[in-house]
Amino acid sequence: MLNPNQDQAVRQVTGRVLVLAGAGSGKTRVITHRIAHLVQNLGEDPRSILGLTFTNKAAAEMRHRVESLIGGKEAKLVTLCTFHSFCMHVLRKEIEKLGYTRDFSLYDERDLQRIITQIARELLGHDGELPSLAPTLAALAEASQHAVSEKEAKGRTWHDQFSQDLYVRLQSTLRAYNAVSFDSLITLAIRLFEEHPDVLDRYQERFRYLMIDEYQDTNPAQFRLAELLAAKYQNLCVVGDDDQSIYGWRGAEVKHILHFHADHIIKLEQNYRSSPTILSAANAVIGHNQNRHNKKLWTAESSAQPIEIFHAQTEAEEAQAVVDRIVVNKQEKKLKWSDMAILYRSNALSRHLELALMQAPWQKDGRWIRGIPYEVFGGLEFTERSEIKDLLAYLRTIANVKDQEAILRIINLPRRGISDSCLDELTQENRSLGIDLWDLLIEVAEGRKELPKHPKATAGIRSFVDIVQTAQIRFQQRPLKDTLIWLLEKIDYKKAIQDDVKSEKMREFKWENVQECVNALAQYEEEMLAANTPEEITLQHFIANTTLARQTMQPKTKKQNEDKVQLMTLHSAKGLEFPNVFIVGLEDHILPHEKSAAETGIEEERRLFYVGITRARKHLTLSMARARMRMGKAEPTNPSRFLFEIPKELLQAVPAKVFS
């Protein structure tokens, strides 16, 4: 099942190993067979193996394959997860050494944004509209990507004092709330290991074999974490492709794979996905990058079609030409809609494509139908819907009453007569006195503090506190879903939806989502019991897993088996493949993107084009428009400079119009 290079990568289990896995070269097969080789052939304890990746989807795929190779019992003992899930697991056990409690809350980006805005107002003494925080947010993100601790932040060079002050205040505020942000999971794990060598030694002893997937996507914090874990035994195998490093804008540094200190370098260059023509084009384009490992994709396949290329007069005509070709592929080549994908550099390019797809006529069983089924890859995730955020805020409050952000979201939901002005007065007081908001609410509920300006609020606060305290007791018992059902009835959340939403259809939709949340909790309990880990069935564990899933999932369709044309950005397409691929908008200023090229460099933009090309299995079509609307005005365009890097003999120029 393995080619010679794959076999070499599987068998080289000691030392620092760099596996350069080109697009479609079977890297997941190598990682999973390497795990199987360690366990079955070398007799290593499966609990000594740690595999880290970036998405839950990738971790689940690896686990599924490992199970098929060594069986479910031993596969469950192998730790395969995302960087953030691993750090969450460590911190749940060890975070008390850093001054938190184990029932800490995990804040996502929106939670963090609210706290940052609040701190910014306090630092600036500003109640009105804040100036743009974009430069400060960029500085905070960069500090998180480098795992800058609160102590390190004070001695670090910042572009302005305000950003430094805000970062330091943010860390202390999170600690006061007993909360951890998604980005700080890795920062805190690093701090734990560096400040407590005995803890680090324990994890080094346990995980003697460390494997990292998609290593080209690591940021400095992830790099630092991996080096700490591997420092004792140096059995570190990293798998990745520098030619597919396309996330510089979110902190990934390609230098980690370019300059990896390796005892062994193994190249996987045989491609099992694309035709020879597509691979030749991809090799020619990426060969123009200077900072890369030298490798060249090849395939044993012989049949190939030329790459089609056309230019249309306008972006609307370009979209129509693409859709016409999709209709031909469906009806003449007998392809499924889902066999075809349209890729673009920016989401803004999808509008004309969607319009053309909605209006396109095609024949089915001798009758004409208008509208091609399609789906835009991504969209609003389930856990981002307001009703689910409400329920999670309730659960977060019940699990951790120090979680002020969660409390503020739901203290008056459903309405309990607690006005915004009352909440403003309470939050100002809790900050000035330096006590938790929850403790202040307890004082009001027990009559030790009065609210003369807000007579209706006291009863509402008393009701809220009673619900939370009762739920805390009930959630100690299983099944957890029964208590969630009780909570929904207790707060009459269905009525709250009816009061807030006018459309009956939307009311039903939101209530279905609420019921799905109950199902998710029930499924979580079943999975924990099936994994023989009943001790982990806690409200805190469920909330943490839900937040982690939201932060580390890849964009996905609602029903992945539906037969629909897929529309997506080039970034979203990474890791996917389709028989027929259309890459549109191949113009300078779009690809390469003018602003991104200035920030992350022209080579990353070229890598993005390379990723797009290598998504195609059998056929690839490239297109551009001669004029495109910018700021409401049609402006002439220039072909992408990357198009001129494809050898002419691989291209077949075709007219834009398919039908006369």
Side-chain angles (χ1 to χ4, degrees), residues 139-169:
L140 299 185
E142 199 262 345
S144 293
Q145 290 155 7
H146 284 77
V148 176
S149 67
E150 190 175 342
K151 182 179 178 181
E152 290 169 331
K154 295 176 182 177
R156 193 169 186 261
T157 301
W158 293 75
H159 78 288
D160 62 64
Q161 187 63 41
F162 176 72
S163 297
Q164 182 187 46
D165 292 344
L166 202 154
Y167 189 79
V168 172
R169 279 283 297 277

Side-chain angles (χ1 to χ4, degrees), residues 590-601:
I590 294 180
L591 188 68
H593 189 276
E594 189 173 23
K595 182 180 178 183
S596 297
E599 293 177 354
T600 58

Side-chain angles (χ1 to χ4, degrees), residues 11-29:
R11 295 181 184 279
Q12 186 59 61
V13 296
T14 58
R16 294 173 66 92
V17 183
L18 171 60
V19 180
L20 293 169
S25 62
K27 69 177 178 63
T28 305
R29 180 189 299 179

